Amino acid sequence: MSCILSENVTMQDGSLHFAGMSVDSLADKYSTPLYLMDEDRIRKNCREYKAALDEVFGCGSMALYASKAASFKAIYGIIAEEGLGADVVSPGEIHTAVLAGFPMEKAYFQGNNKTDWDIEYAMDCGVGYFVCDNKEEVEAIDLIARKRGIRQKILLRLTPGIDPHTYAAVATGKVDSKFGTAIETGQAESILAYTLGLDGIELMGFHCHVGSMVFDSDVFIRSAEIMLGFIADMKKKYGYTAKELDLGGGYGVRYVEAQPKISISENIRLLGDYIKDCCGRLGIELPKILLEPGRSIVADAGMTVYTVGTVKRITGYKNYVSIDGGMTDNPRYALYGSSYTVLPVGESEAPGFKCDLVGRCCESGDIIQTDITLPKDISRGDRVAVLTTGAYNYSMASNYNRLPRPAMVMLKNGSDRLVIRRETLDDLAANDL
Ligand code: LLP
């Protein structure tokens, strides 16, 4: 038995296994395209965050699962059982968490443009915290909270002005970002001063998120330094003590062997040493530290299984292998050129067939991965698996070309259960009048 990329992906007697289960048997049972999720891995990832945060910062500090990475009922139950909070970004995510019985006082509502209706709905659902992006939002929350006779807990989202050198679409901590309020321009200070005068709001502290797919712990350390410096300044100027500092999400994961595998607990330890030292130097109390991991909780817990339909050899040019899914269930190559590892599922000849793995949509950009190698005898009916698809696949899936979204099966301790049923053709037309 040898493992590939991650310990939960193994080859046993020539056939691919995920979370200890035969991928072929699961595809026989549930059909393809199919999302598989390894519950034990999700729990392991949660526990790594929880144990490290408890050890380094003490209780009160917490990881919030960024549910934009994969939002569906079953995941909120798992997250709640593991003692994590949740980062939610829309009424849809809030509603799903509520349906799952998630303790909503541990939910943090993010986003750069919450409508009045969103704010009312989140308050109706008992969402614990709002992470406020801008002054209009603070104003709207204050007004709605006062009408309800409550004081709403919030964090202010600030931009520390850090470029994490990841891909542009996910770099969010820079001053010119659409998210948050900039420290550098003085606007963060003025929003703080404004917020402190509001009766409907209890300001608990600050938030920042610098980007996603970050492998360099220095990025988190630099943003902590800037945020703590701001906290110390504001303490001097306004006598305000921040109780919480949320440093966002963003730790990278390994999609292909060439990428590094980072240790979350080691990174949290390094961050903790720096933060404690910095608080000492600045003479401020250590705030409760929050992190918002999404990808690093679910990415390596996911795999997508497809069936090959056509194998096109364009003599003298290139080869295409078409599958029964594509950019509708995984748009990440089409959007970001993301790397993935692709493997044959069943017993096969040695690899040697160079090709692009493409989807079934009527669009040339519908590509899962280019320049991969599959078995020489790959043909219609064979199955292939794409690894590390647990994050930002199902949550970014679409019905383009009126394709139904795949089912998702949760694997736990050798057993499988359907957690998202496959969409039907009637589902696709359900809203049409
Ligand atoms: N917190 C905030 C405020 C965020 O905006 C995000 C991700 C996270 C936490 C979680 O970051 P993570 O740990 O998952 O890196 N669709 C892109 C990723 C977009 C990330 C958006 N924000 C992708 O497929 O790579």
Side-chain angles (χ1 to χ4, degrees):
M1 188 174 89
S2 57
C3 86
I4 306 146
L5 198 66
S6 166
E7 309 90 82
N8 55 358
V9 183
T10 52
M11 226 33 177
Q12 293 177 32
D13 305 324
S15 90
L16 190 68
H17 281 58
F18 188 50
M21 300 184 75
S22 153
V23 174
D24 246 337
S25 309
L26 290 161
D28 285 344
K29 181 167 173 186
Y30 295 101
S31 178
T32 63
L34 181 67
Y35 294 120
L36 299 176
M37 270 284 194
D38 173 358
E39 179 169 341
D40 297 318
R41 174 53 63 120
I42 299 172
R43 290 185 185 274
K44 182 171 177 274
N45 292 338
C46 290
R47 285 172 198 171
E48 183 166 4
Y49 270 98
K50 185 162 173 19
L53 283 168
D54 285 354
E55 181 199 314
V56 173
F57 296 107
C59 64
S61 288
M62 183 166 61
L64 315 173
Y65 166 61
S67 55
K68 60 181 80 64
S71 175
F72 54 98
K73 271 166 40 182
I75 194 114
Y76 291 101
I78 296 170
I79 295 303
E81 280 175 15
E82 293 300 330
L84 270 66
D87 149 4
V88 289
V89 294
S90 68
E93 288 188 359
I94 292 171
H95 182 64
T96 312
V98 169
L99 289 177
F102 189 81
M104 295 309 285
E105 69 281 1
K106 286 169 86 174
Y108 286 63
F109 186 15
Q110 317 254 351
N112 64 311
N113 185 13
K114 305 173 184 77
T115 66
D116 286 356
W117 189 88
D118 295 347
I119 295 169
E120 298 268 10
Y121 180 71
M123 286 184 185
D124 288 345
C125 295
V127 165
Y129 288 74
F130 285 66
V131 180
C132 296
D133 188 275
N134 51 63
K135 193 167 172 223
E136 287 99 318
E137 184 188 329
V138 174
E139 218 169 339
I141 292 174
D142 175 56
L143 198 70
I144 296 170
R146 279 191 288 113
K147 264 196 228 142
R148 291 172 178 239
I150 61 164
R151 284 194 92 198
Q152 178 60 53
K153 286 184 185 160
I154 72 158
L155 302 180
L156 287 174
R157 177 167 180 168
L158 308 180
T159 41
I162 291 209
D163 182 352
H165 298 299
T166 175
Y167 49 108
V170 297
T172 46
K174 300 193 312 187
V175 174
D176 61 1
S177 167
K178 80 164 180 171
F179 296 104
T181 305
I183 295 178
E184 185 189 300
T185 59
Q187 285 160 302
E189 178 174 344
S190 58
I191 194 173
L192 166 86
Y194 170 72
T195 304
L196 289 177
L198 302 175
D199 290 337
I201 284 188
E202 184 178 0
L203 179 64
M204 300 300 289
F206 305 104
H207 169 282
C208 67
H209 170 78
V210 291
S212 203
M213 273 304 268
V214 177
F215 289 98
D216 180 3
S217 61
D218 196 46
V219 167
F220 288 92
I221 288 177
R222 281 187 293 137
S223 65
E225 179 181 24
I226 294 168
M227 296 297 284
L228 292 168
F230 179 76
I231 289 175
D233 270 1
M234 297 305 106
K235 191 179 170 196
K236 257 189 237 132
K237 284 197 184 161
Y238 300 90
Y240 172 72
T241 300
K243 293 194 190 75
E244 299 188 16
L245 174 61
D246 182 340
L247 293 170
Y251 283 117
V253 303
R254 194 159 173 237
Y255 289 99
V256 288
E257 299 275 358
Q259 284 169 326
K261 188 171 169 59
I262 58 172
S263 157
I264 296 299
S265 39
E266 196 44 43
N267 271 276
I268 291 176
R269 254 172 237 126
L270 283 174
L271 187 62
D273 288 347
Y274 181 81
I275 288 178
K276 286 176 193 169
D277 182 60
C278 191
C279 286
R281 269 187 285 122
L282 294 167
I284 55 172
E285 285 160 44
L286 175 68
K288 185 172 140 184
I289 300 294
L290 306 173
L291 294 177
E292 292 169 352
R295 195 188 309 269
S296 50
I297 297 285
V298 284
D300 63 2
M303 172 186 277
T304 311
V305 193
Y306 301 102
T307 303
V308 171
T310 64
V311 179
K312 179 179 280 186
R313 295 172 169 86
I314 310 175
T315 317
Y317 288 86
K318 66 189 298 182
N319 304 316
Y320 288 100
V321 170
S322 297
I323 45 166
D324 55 354
M327 65 188 289
T328 42
D329 57 77
N330 180 0
R332 296 192 69 257
Y333 184 86
L335 282 172
Y336 319 117
S338 304
S339 308
Y340 279 103
T341 301
V342 183
L343 297 173
V345 170
E347 279 185 56
S348 53
E349 275 185 25
F353 183 63
K354 220 172 162 223
C355 58
D356 287 3
L357 188 74
V358 297
R360 58 172 298 175
C361 289
C362 298
E363 179 150 337
S364 304
D366 175 18
I367 299 168
I368 294 289
Q369 202 59 208
T370 55
D371 292 326
I372 59 162
T373 311
L374 287 172
K376 289 191 192 121
D377 60 348
I378 189 96
S379 59
R380 188 177 182 86
D382 288 348
R383 289 174 180 143
V384 292
V386 179
L387 311 192
T388 334
T389 57
Y392 305 110
N393 273 230
Y394 170 70
S395 62
M396 294 178 77
S398 77
N399 292 126
Y400 182 47
N401 285 188
R402 285 243 144 160
L403 289 169
R405 272 173 289 216
M408 185 188 289
V409 170
M410 190 69 82
L411 309 177
K412 184 178 190 235
N413 213 0
S415 64
D416 50 282
R417 72 180 199 281
L418 191 65
V419 287
I420 302 174
R421 69 161 170 80
R422 185 177 300 285
E423 277 177 339
T424 63
L425 298 181
D426 279 339
D427 288 336
L428 295 171
N431 297 326
D432 297 8
L433 302 174

